[in-house]
Amino acid sequence: MTHSSAMDEPATRDSPVRHTLHDARDWAFAAGVALLLGVLFQLGVPLRGSFGANVTGDEPFYLLTTESLLSDGDFDLTNQYATEAYRRFFDGDGPLWYQSVPTGDGRLLSPHNIGLSVLVLPAYAVGGVAWVKAFLALLGGLTAGWTYLLCRRALAGRRGSLLAVLLLGISAPFFVYTSQIYPEMPAALLTTIVVWLNLGPRGSIRRGVGVAAVLAVLMWLGAKYAPVAGVLGGLTLLRLTWHG
């Protein structure tokens, strides 16, 4: 007599719904993966962006917009440069450099989309840059958990899905980006959710509305995600209109 494993049930013709509508075990495994990796990713929070500063590259400018929203209620960075408010999160030896020039009306705006700055605003208000990194690390864990659900919906077994997601989570690109202040990890989460939704039953209007909402948020994270949003939106329309 052979015994099947509850952790790794193969897809069969008799049980297609099992991989489309996740059961309680799948959601429990996804939550466990999200929690485990979300905690693991906290190890990256105290890491410095470079030898000279705790945040570097584009990170300070996402935070500068967040600081402006918190202190002034606008996106104009003029006051933040004048008062060196960036010292609350940037500890480089010299002053923070400029990434943009004033507009015609004298405002100084960040060249980056505002989505990430708005997303991390509550965490920044509570605990500054450390809480922002910790929050993004938790989002990284959530991304990993949703990736597990995506694997299951793509007809992978539980054991294979768990192994794939755990290996992904400890890989260098995934682990490093989770605690860096860039839109890539939140964008990865939204993209994963859209693909997961698209692998659901065809013709669902609610799914189409959900995809549209998620893609709208994705575009606020960065105009560079427009090609991704266009492709995923097109696939969603095809699945909504084709019932074959």
Side-chain angles (χ1 to χ4, degrees), residues 68 72 75-83 98 102 106-109:
S68 180
D72 303 334
F75 300 103
D76 187 358
L77 308 180
T78 303
N79 290 339
Q80 282 61 52
Y81 274 101
T83 61
Y98 287 79
R107 293 179 301 160
L108 185 64
L109 305 176

Side-chain angles (χ1 to χ4, degrees), residues 29-110:
F29 285 136
V33 167
L35 180 61
L36 174 64
L37 292 182
V39 171
L40 177 65
F41 295 153
Q42 301 300 316
L43 295 175
V45 171
L47 299 181
R48 296 177 62 79
S50 70
F51 289 111
N54 59 336
V55 291
T56 188
D58 292 335
E59 291 179 296
F61 302 97
Y62 289 111
L63 291 174
L64 199 60
T65 299
T66 302
E67 171 65 30
S68 180
L69 285 171
L70 185 63
S71 59
D72 303 334
D74 59 32
F75 300 103
D76 187 358
L77 308 180
T78 303
N79 290 339
Q80 282 61 52
Y81 274 101
T83 61
E84 295 192 353
Y86 52 78
R87 291 298 179 187
R88 296 175 183 172
F89 52 81
F90 178 74
D91 59 358
D93 292 334
L96 182 65
W97 61 96
Y98 287 79
Q99 275 196 334
S100 57
V101 297
T103 61
D105 58 4
R107 293 179 301 160
L108 185 64
L109 305 176
S110 171

Side-chain angles (χ1 to χ4, degrees), residues 62 116 180-188 221-222 224-225:
Y62 289 111
L116 181 65
Q180 291 192 341
I181 306 170
Y182 289 104
E184 271 70 16
M185 190 52 61
L221 288 175
K224 61 185 176 182
Y225 301 120

Side-chain angles (χ1 to χ4, degrees), residues 2-239:
T2 59
H3 299 276
S4 61
S5 171
M7 284 288 292
D8 197 3
E9 298 175 6
T12 67
R13 295 180 181 271
D14 298 328
S15 58
V17 177
R18 173 170 44 197
H19 299 289
T20 302
L21 304 174
H22 309 295
D23 62 24
R25 288 172 295 179
D26 283 326
W27 289 105
F29 285 136
V33 167
L35 180 61
L36 174 64
L37 292 182
V39 171
L40 177 65
F41 295 153
Q42 301 300 316
L43 295 175
V45 171
L47 299 181
R48 296 177 62 79
S50 70
F51 289 111
N54 59 336
V55 291
T56 188
D58 292 335
E59 291 179 296
F61 302 97
Y62 289 111
L63 291 174
L64 199 60
T65 299
T66 302
E67 171 65 30
S68 180
L69 285 171
L70 185 63
S71 59
D72 303 334
D74 59 32
F75 300 103
D76 187 358
L77 308 180
T78 303
N79 290 339
Q80 282 61 52
Y81 274 101
T83 61
E84 295 192 353
Y86 52 78
R87 291 298 179 187
R88 296 175 183 172
F89 52 81
F90 178 74
D91 59 358
D93 292 334
L96 182 65
W97 61 96
Y98 287 79
Q99 275 196 334
S100 57
V101 297
T103 61
D105 58 4
R107 293 179 301 160
L108 185 64
L109 305 176
S110 171
H112 305 289
N113 291 70
I114 64 172
L116 181 65
S117 299
V118 174
L119 176 66
V120 302
L121 179 59
Y124 181 81
V126 173
V129 63
W131 275 60
V132 170
K133 289 186 173 185
F135 169 68
L136 291 174
L138 290 176
L139 284 187
L142 184 59
T143 304
W146 221 292
T147 302
Y148 166 81
L149 293 176
L150 175 58
C151 291
R152 289 290 289 147
R153 184 161 279 188
L155 305 183
R158 287 195 177 93
R159 185 175 300 165
S161 297
L162 281 172
L163 180 60
V165 170
L166 291 176
L167 288 176
L168 174 67
I170 62 175
S171 66
F174 204 102
F175 186 95
V176 171
Y177 261 114
T178 54
S179 58
Q180 291 192 341
I181 306 170
Y182 289 104
E184 271 70 16
M185 190 52 61
L189 172 61
L190 296 178
T191 302
T192 302
I193 292 174
V194 169
V195 176
W196 175 80
L197 287 170
N198 269 319
L199 290 180
R202 293 191 181 100
S204 171
I205 298 300
R206 287 185 300 177
R207 178 172 55 80
V209 172
V211 167
V214 174
L215 291 181
V217 176
L218 178 64
M219 288 302 301
W220 280 102
L221 288 175
K224 61 185 176 182
Y225 301 120
V228 176
V231 170
L232 292 176
L235 290 174
T236 303
L237 287 176
L238 285 175
R239 289 183 61 82

